[in-house]
Amino acid sequence: GKIVVYDTGSWEVATDRWSAHTARIQSIAWNAAGTHAVSGGLDTNVHVWSVGQPGKRVKAANAHKDGVNGVVWAGEGKVASVGGDAAVKLWKVEGLV
């Protein structure tokens, strides 16, 4: 359940503080600016992470009953997720830093 982010220019670790999932991560997607990532996992949760402030995140708890299979950015401040519950959900993300 831990995500390590690397700077692709130097291959140095940008952050290794993204560790809130309690089960396997199924999907990760970056926003167009490369400032935030969204992840979804078998623990049923969706997390939005900030590179600038790695200790902060936005969480959608219990997003999909049978786990999150995929996540994608769906425009500015919006995330779409799909899960084992056969649902597609669109989330408005607020509080991004």
Side-chain angles (χ1 to χ4, degrees):
K2 184 175 183 177
I3 301 168
V4 178
V5 178
Y6 292 89
D7 179 320
T8 58
S10 65
W11 291 107
E12 292 182 19
V13 174
T15 185
D16 61 358
R17 297 182 58 196
W18 296 358
S19 60
H21 284 286
T22 59
R24 185 175 61 211
I25 297 167
Q26 296 284 84
S27 181
I28 301 173
W30 286 92
N31 69 348
T35 57
H36 294 84
V38 60
S39 61
L42 291 179
D43 60 0
T44 74
N45 300 318
V46 172
H47 295 278
V48 177
W49 308 92
S50 169
V51 174
Q53 293 192 337
K56 297 193 179 222
R57 70 180 189 281
V58 176
K59 177 181 179 181
N62 302 314
H64 293 276
K65 179 183 171 194
D66 295 324
V68 180
N69 295 332
V71 291
V72 66
W73 287 90
E76 188 66 32
K78 293 182 184 172
V79 169
S81 63
V82 62
D85 55 3
V88 176
K89 296 183 179 181
L90 185 62
W91 307 90
K92 182 178 178 184
V93 183
E94 297 177 333
L96 295 179
V97 187

